[in-house]
Amino acid sequence: MSDRENIQQVASRLVGLRDALELAPEQVAEACGIDVDTYLGYESGNQDIPISFIQNLAQIYGVQVPELLFGTSPRMSAYYVTRAGKGARVERSKAYSYESLAEGFADRIIHPFMVTLEPANNATAKPNSHPGQEYNYVISGREELHIGAKTIVLNPGDSIIFNASLPHYMQALDEQPLQFISIIASK
């Protein structure tokens, strides 16, 4: 499935949730703290949909993140195994490729992802912010992490935890793909 097709499917689920709740786009945008034009851009499928927005929307309306990303409800409550390379993939941005590492675990309070960033996509990475904290552990490549006005370079084996409400974005260095584990926890 192409990046655009995946974004279109997520956008369709956003519309479906809003319709099911009988809400106007203005109501959802206000609840999420974004302007209505941005929200309508997400619903159109023509604009990248930040994972932080999906998490915020899921929390506000009491649905699970995988329902919005993948159209499935997590069912496991004791444990959930994700085999290497077998996590559900979501391409919610031109810049980042996400592989969910726990999509089948219900009511989780953390959201772990394997993230891949190709250096050619550095130019499309945009600052993002969301409630809670984020932890990144670099597997391969080198990461240039921008948090507010600070720039930090992380090498394989390095990790960082930060306040995710600060604007942040990542870039791949040395013209090499960057792969890192990102764990997002909301407060």
Side-chain angles (χ1 to χ4, degrees), residues 128-161:
N128 178 25
S129 62
H130 49 88
Q133 300 170 344
E134 186 167 332
Y135 171 84
N136 289 351
Y137 177 87
V138 177
I139 303 293
S140 62
R142 294 179 62 227
E143 176 179 337
E144 183 176 273
L145 175 61
H146 301 264
I147 304 173
K150 184 80 174 157
T151 300
I152 302 158
V153 174
L154 300 170
N155 296 303
D158 291 347
S159 66
I160 187 169
I161 188 167

Side-chain angles (χ1 to χ4, degrees), residues 81-160:
V81 175
T82 302
R83 299 290 179 197
K86 301 294 184 188
R89 296 192 183 278
V90 59
E91 312 297 331
R92 34 75 38 207
S93 161
K94 292 180 187 110
Y96 307 100
S97 170
Y98 286 82
E99 177 185 356
S100 177
L101 301 177
E103 86 274 1
F105 193 79
D107 300 320
R108 62 185 181 270
I109 55 174
I110 62 168
H111 300 276
F113 297 95
M114 179 67 71
V115 182
T116 303
L117 174 60
E118 295 293 333
N121 294 334
N122 281 344
T124 60
K126 297 176 187 164
N128 178 25
S129 62
H130 49 88
Q133 300 170 344
E134 186 167 332
Y135 171 84
N136 289 351
Y137 177 87
V138 177
I139 303 293
S140 62
R142 294 179 62 227
E143 176 179 337
E144 183 176 273
L145 175 61
H146 301 264
I147 304 173
K150 184 80 174 157
T151 300
I152 302 158
V153 174
L154 300 170
N155 296 303
D158 291 347
S159 66
I160 187 169

Side-chain angles (χ1 to χ4, degrees), residues 52-72:
S52 57
F53 168 77
I54 296 293
Q55 290 176 303
N56 188 33
L57 183 72
Q59 185 173 17
I60 290 169
Y61 292 110
V63 299
Q64 297 286 312
V65 170
E67 292 177 75
L68 295 173
L69 291 178
F70 312 115
T72 60

Side-chain angles (χ1 to χ4, degrees), residues 4 21 23 51 85 111 132 154 156 162 168-170 176 179:
R4 189 54 46 204
L21 296 172
L23 297 171
I51 195 74
H111 300 276
L154 300 170
F162 58 93
H168 59 278
Y169 67 98
M170 298 81 180
Q176 297 294 317
Q179 191 170 46

